[in-house]
Amino acid sequence: MGIVLAVFLIAGVAAAVALGRDSGADGDSGTATKTVRGVIGSEKAEFFADPDTVKALAAEGFTVRTETSGSWAMDRLPLKGYDFAFPGSKAPADELSRSAKTRGGPLRPFYSPLVVVAHRNAAEVLAANGLARLRTGAPEATDGSGGSDGSVGGSKWATQGTLLMAPYLAAAEDDRTWQQLKGASGHAELSGTVFITSTDPVTSNSGALYLAAASYAADGGRVATDAKALERTAPLLRKLVQVQGAQQTSSDAPFRDFISGVGNPLVLVYESQVASLLMNSQRQEVGDLVVLYPDTTVSSDHTLVPLTDHGRELGELLSTDPALRKLAVRHGFRPQGAAAEFTAATAGHTAYIDQRLTGVRQAPVPTAELLRSMARRARG
């Protein structure tokens, strides 16, 4: 009898341990029952890696595993076994959707316009030469320690402005240097050709959209629709790209370099990167940042392409779940159809963030085929 009882006791302990393991695994991921895999643009990596995002997704029954890729390189990946692809704009998403023959259209949970971040000296020189317009922020800080408006010790400088695309593109076409601009001589860091650092347009979404906006502005407000349109702007776009030398495939590295105080004084990034930095950092990390909204720009519609039913469920969840939308805003994204959420979250940072995109013209984007051709021509 003692032996029999011992056997039952051991079996009971083993069952309890096994049950505890199962429950612990479920406890680590909330109520997650579906593991989905996806490839995403790197600008969304921090959002998906955020422990609060992981928890919110688990509460809805999802564990999400992601890998990063340039948006325009996703179509060259073997996507078998993935549940979704999540590039940074509609054009590569439409291309992926066609090639994958998905049922139903892509989903666009949130978006972010392209902006140019500049160091204060560079922004002021651009403004002095008619390439930008600057405006200061809210009233100065009264404690002399500096506020979100850029005021420090009783002085104030601009923290936001507008990049005037027509004058800037004219300067680029003329190979204008910083030394030729008035006011630049006192700043040793401003030397060489004036250009904006962007990403590789062949593989990266932000780089491709930069060319789309530049082409539209340079061609009299016309979106490229054929080979003749590409030919008209090809020389200028080639200058915009080739002056940079080697380009990154993601906007994350150039932005981090900029914040660290190295690299080019003008860098093309997503507004979401700036907004996320402002909402999740200390004032001193921002430094002498000035945010320039191009008067002709393109909004990056982060577009999820569902490759399976679980992928579509995830896309719908990102679009509608209040907790996940709030987290997307915390990472700087503007939710589709809900301006109030972004406005409320960035209320303390309007010195840098133009909540209403005042005076910003949205350029239409060419088809994926034409945009690819545009990028290849620009790269030479």
Side-chain angles (χ1 to χ4, degrees), residues 215-231:
S215 168
Y216 182 79
D219 204 20
R222 290 178 291 181
V223 62
T225 57
D226 54 30
K228 288 183 178 179
L230 295 182
E231 197 63 38

Side-chain angles (χ1 to χ4, degrees), residues 144-269:
S145 61
S148 65
D149 63 331
S151 56
V152 177
S155 64
K156 185 190 288 187
W157 62 76
T159 50
Q160 186 192 134
T162 303
L163 178 71
L164 305 177
M165 283 294 280
Y168 167 71
L169 293 174
E173 196 159 30
D174 292 340
D175 301 312
R176 194 88 54 85
T177 65
W178 286 105
Q179 292 90 331
Q180 292 173 318
L181 300 182
K182 64 182 180 182
S185 58
H187 307 292
E189 72 278 12
L190 300 179
S191 62
T193 306
V194 178
F195 69 90
I196 295 170
T197 293
S198 61
T199 52
D200 180 357
V202 173
T203 60
S204 170
N205 181 64
S206 59
L209 294 185
Y210 174 46
L211 295 187
S215 168
Y216 182 79
D219 204 20
R222 290 178 291 181
V223 62
T225 57
D226 54 30
K228 288 183 178 179
L230 295 182
E231 197 63 38
R232 284 196 298 270
T233 60
L236 171 60
L237 300 187
R238 195 172 298 117
K239 283 190 174 186
L240 296 179
V241 170
Q242 295 186 356
V243 70
Q244 301 181 47
Q247 292 177 291
Q248 300 277 357
T249 57
S250 162
S251 61
D252 184 59
F255 183 58
R256 290 183 185 278
D257 286 346
F258 175 88
I259 295 301
S260 300
V262 299
N264 194 42
L266 303 173
V267 180
L268 183 83
V269 299

Side-chain angles (χ1 to χ4, degrees), residues 19-20 37 41 46 56 67 87 119 131 190-191 214 282 342 357 359 364:
L19 182 60
R37 291 182 64 214
E46 289 188 2
E67 300 168 28
H119 291 299
L131 277 66
L190 300 179
S191 62
Q282 300 298 317
F342 184 82
L357 301 178

Side-chain angles (χ1 to χ4, degrees), residues 30-55:
T31 58
T33 56
K34 306 167 191 170
T35 297
V36 297
R37 291 182 64 214
V39 56
I40 63 172
S42 61
E43 69 285 339
K44 294 181 283 289
E46 289 188 2
F47 166 71
F48 279 104
D50 187 331
D52 289 336
T53 303
V54 174
K55 184 178 178 181

Side-chain angles (χ1 to χ4, degrees), residues 14-369:
V17 169
L19 182 60
R21 282 178 181 162
D22 289 344
S23 154
D26 186 61
D28 288 341
S29 57
T31 58
T33 56
K34 306 167 191 170
T35 297
V36 297
R37 291 182 64 214
V39 56
I40 63 172
S42 61
E43 69 285 339
K44 294 181 283 289
E46 289 188 2
F47 166 71
F48 279 104
D50 187 331
D52 289 336
T53 303
V54 174
K55 184 178 178 181
L57 286 167
E60 297 298 328
F62 283 90
T63 296
V64 180
R65 310 290 185 207
T66 62
E67 300 168 28
T68 60
S69 166
S71 293
W72 287 92
M74 288 182 186
D75 66 325
R76 297 196 290 273
L77 297 175
L79 293 176
K80 186 176 181 180
Y82 287 86
D83 296 284
F84 69 96
F86 205 171
S89 66
K90 183 177 181 295
D94 287 344
E95 197 170 62
L96 281 164
S97 187
R98 282 193 297 271
S99 62
K101 298 179 181 178
T102 60
R103 288 179 295 177
L107 301 106
R108 293 188 285 280
F110 40 73
Y111 68 98
S112 182
L114 291 174
V115 300
V116 173
V117 290
H119 291 299
R120 177 163 53 100
N121 292 336
E124 290 177 346
V125 170
L126 291 180
N129 289 270
L131 277 66
R133 282 194 304 265
L134 302 181
R135 61 180 185 271
T136 54
E140 296 180 16
T142 56
D143 61 0
S145 61
S148 65
D149 63 331
S151 56
V152 177
S155 64
K156 185 190 288 187
W157 62 76
T159 50
Q160 186 192 134
T162 303
L163 178 71
L164 305 177
M165 283 294 280
Y168 167 71
L169 293 174
E173 196 159 30
D174 292 340
D175 301 312
R176 194 88 54 85
T177 65
W178 286 105
Q179 292 90 331
Q180 292 173 318
L181 300 182
K182 64 182 180 182
S185 58
H187 307 292
E189 72 278 12
L190 300 179
S191 62
T193 306
V194 178
F195 69 90
I196 295 170
T197 293
S198 61
T199 52
D200 180 357
V202 173
T203 60
S204 170
N205 181 64
S206 59
L209 294 185
Y210 174 46
L211 295 187
S215 168
Y216 182 79
D219 204 20
R222 290 178 291 181
V223 62
T225 57
D226 54 30
K228 288 183 178 179
L230 295 182
E231 197 63 38
R232 284 196 298 270
T233 60
L236 171 60
L237 300 187
R238 195 172 298 117
K239 283 190 174 186
L240 296 179
V241 170
Q242 295 186 356
V243 70
Q244 301 181 47
Q247 292 177 291
Q248 300 277 357
T249 57
S250 162
S251 61
D252 184 59
F255 183 58
R256 290 183 185 278
D257 286 346
F258 175 88
I259 295 301
S260 300
V262 299
N264 194 42
L266 303 173
V267 180
L268 183 83
V269 299
Y270 294 105
E271 180 197 57
S272 59
Q273 292 171 283
V274 179
S276 178
L277 177 70
L278 292 168
M279 289 188 282
N280 299 290
S281 72
Q282 300 298 317
R283 170 67 182 90
Q284 57 267 27
E285 292 183 45
V286 179
D288 65 349
L289 170 72
V290 179
V291 183
L292 300 176
Y293 285 80
D295 59 7
T296 301
T297 191
V298 175
S299 280
S300 179
D301 289 320
H302 296 280
T303 306
L304 186 146
V305 179
L307 304 174
T308 66
D309 289 342
H310 285 346
R312 177 165 293 282
E313 288 177 46
L314 174 65
E316 291 170 350
L317 193 63
L318 292 173
S319 301
T320 59
D321 182 76
L324 288 167
R325 288 169 68 90
K326 185 176 180 179
L327 286 164
V329 169
R330 191 167 83 183
H331 285 273
F333 299 107
R334 295 178 181 245
Q336 292 283 2
E341 295 176 53
F342 184 82
T343 299
T346 58
H349 306 289
T350 54
Y352 296 93
I353 301 297
D354 184 351
Q355 295 177 320
R356 297 184 179 182
L357 301 178
T358 309
V360 174
R361 185 180 188 183
Q362 290 292 325
V365 178
T367 64
E369 182 182 356

